[in-house]
Amino acid sequence: MKIKANGINIEVEDSGPGTGAQPRPAVLLIMGLGMQLVAWPPAMVQALVDAGYRVIRLDNRDIGLSQKFDHLGQPNLVWASIKYKLGLAVKAPYALHDMAADALAVLDALGVQKAHVVGVSMGGMIAQRVALAAPERVLSLTSVMSSSGARGLPQAHPHVMRVLLSRPAGKDISSVTDHYVRLFKAIGSPGFPVDDAELRERITVAAQRSFHPAGVLRQMVAIVADKRRAAELADLRVPTLVVHGKADPLVPFACGEDTARRIHGARLVGIEGMGHDLPKGVVERLLEPLIPHLKAAEAAS
């Protein structure tokens, strides 16, 4: 369903508040760079619903079925990266602050005062921004395969970056699917391999729903431009869980260690064999600390 939030149209899926007298606690799931809400594994969503939660997913701005920002033009990612490496300010079409404001506005539109906020990759960065902007509305924070954005952290493997920055051979669904199959094979979890047919089917469904590469570029520049988040995390005082794959070739494990170190009281869980994706085995290991983390945060509040 479409929701008007922060002045723009955001596509949202909501499992609902439940039918009992006591509304279900909300869990807001924020996906990563270029990824749509359908990228959340159904088994993970269902496990959270079964645990008693209202699960809210959204397409971030510029991606999926949410509002596009093509009127802002296509940024020069190479130039933005050079400026970042030189420590210069990077001007982005919009900021992670704006994407966090979108997420908070979705909660407003749904009448949710407080929520657990769970984000993966770029979604983890947005989740951190949500917690920094409105800590009183965050029951707990979970940052998965993400980063504080601090300078000097290990970078992605060169092969992974080459695949990430490459383009599909064509604009047809088959070419787009081939491209993302290559990408997910490059960043996937070596300890939890995914069947090729299953991977291709999942990617095809997402590509048919939406494919918007210009939005991915604008989101990438928003990540690069968010320079102060690392220092600001020291002020965060919300129950925080950091989950990271020890075999992540895109956002190395050291980035998760750094994030947990910067947030007061954060708990770090490293998963052996996990890369930068959410296959079935990873979801099972992610849920093991996640649901108790949510329950403990509710009890503490």
Side-chain angles (χ1 to χ4, degrees):
M1 62 179 174
K2 286 285 192 306
I3 286 180
K4 196 76 170 183
N6 199 23
I8 64 175
N9 294 317
I10 300 290
E11 181 70 16
V12 174
E13 291 287 342
D14 178 9
S15 70
T19 56
Q22 186 69 24
R24 287 171 165 244
V27 178
L28 178 65
L29 301 180
I30 308 177
M31 202 18 94
L33 174 69
M35 300 301 290
Q36 305 174 60
L37 64 83
V38 293
W40 288 102
M44 180 174 175
V45 175
Q46 190 60 52
L48 290 169
V49 171
D50 291 345
Y53 291 99
R54 175 183 186 177
V55 180
I56 301 166
R57 296 171 289 158
L58 73 154
D59 282 336
N60 289 312
R61 62 166 63 196
D62 231 355
I63 289 298
L65 305 184
S66 288
Q67 187 166 319
K68 307 302 188 294
F69 284 74
D70 293 335
H71 63 284
L72 297 180
Q74 189 163 304
N76 186 324
L77 184 60
V78 173
W79 179 232
S81 299
I82 291 172
K83 292 179 75 173
Y84 171 79
K85 290 178 180 179
L86 293 174
L88 302 175
V90 176
K91 185 177 180 180
Y94 47 76
L96 293 187
H97 293 80
D98 299 314
M99 301 176 82
D102 295 344
L104 285 165
V106 165
L107 296 180
D108 290 339
L110 295 174
V112 176
Q113 294 301 310
K114 293 186 176 184
H116 299 282
V117 184
V118 180
V120 300
S121 197
M122 181 191 73
M125 302 172 196
I126 297 170
Q128 293 166 27
R129 276 281 165 220
V130 169
L132 287 167
E136 72 284 357
R137 300 192 63 184
V138 177
L139 288 168
S140 74
L141 167 66
T142 303
S143 182
V144 183
M145 60 176 105
S146 193
S147 174
S148 71
R151 290 175 58 82
L153 288 171
Q155 300 299 301
H157 189 283
H159 168 67
V160 170
M161 286 306 299
R162 283 194 296 271
V163 178
L164 179 65
L165 296 175
S166 66
R167 298 182 179 182
K171 295 182 179 180
D172 59 285
I173 294 296
S174 179
S175 296
V176 171
T177 298
D178 288 344
H179 169 74
Y180 279 101
V181 166
R182 287 194 299 273
L183 175 60
F184 275 93
K185 281 185 171 293
I187 66 175
S189 299
F192 306 91
V194 179
D195 177 75
D196 285 1
E198 177 188 339
L199 178 61
R200 177 168 289 275
E201 180 182 3
R202 177 157 42 88
I203 291 172
T204 299
V205 168
Q208 289 172 334
R209 184 174 184 263
S210 177
F211 174 60
H212 192 58
V216 178
L217 286 176
R218 285 188 285 270
Q219 290 184 351
M220 290 180 79
V221 175
I223 292 171
V224 172
D226 195 39
K227 296 175 62 177
R228 297 190 176 187
R229 190 177 74 258
E232 293 171 4
L233 290 176
D235 297 326
L236 203 52
R237 294 293 187 275
V238 300
T240 300
L241 173 67
V242 177
V243 181
H244 214 105
K246 292 190 173 183
D248 193 328
L250 181 61
V251 184
F253 182 65
C255 298
E257 292 178 307
D258 174 78
T259 301
R261 185 173 61 249
R262 290 176 182 274
I263 300 175
H264 179 77
R267 178 191 175 198
L268 173 66
V269 174
I271 298 179
E272 296 285 352
M274 174 184 171
H276 203 80
D277 62 346
L278 293 172
K280 180 177 181 292
V282 166
V283 168
E284 292 170 354
R285 284 157 181 78
L286 170 58
L287 288 167
E288 287 173 2
L290 176 59
I291 292 178
H293 169 65
L294 305 182
K295 300 293 186 183
E298 289 159 33
S301 67

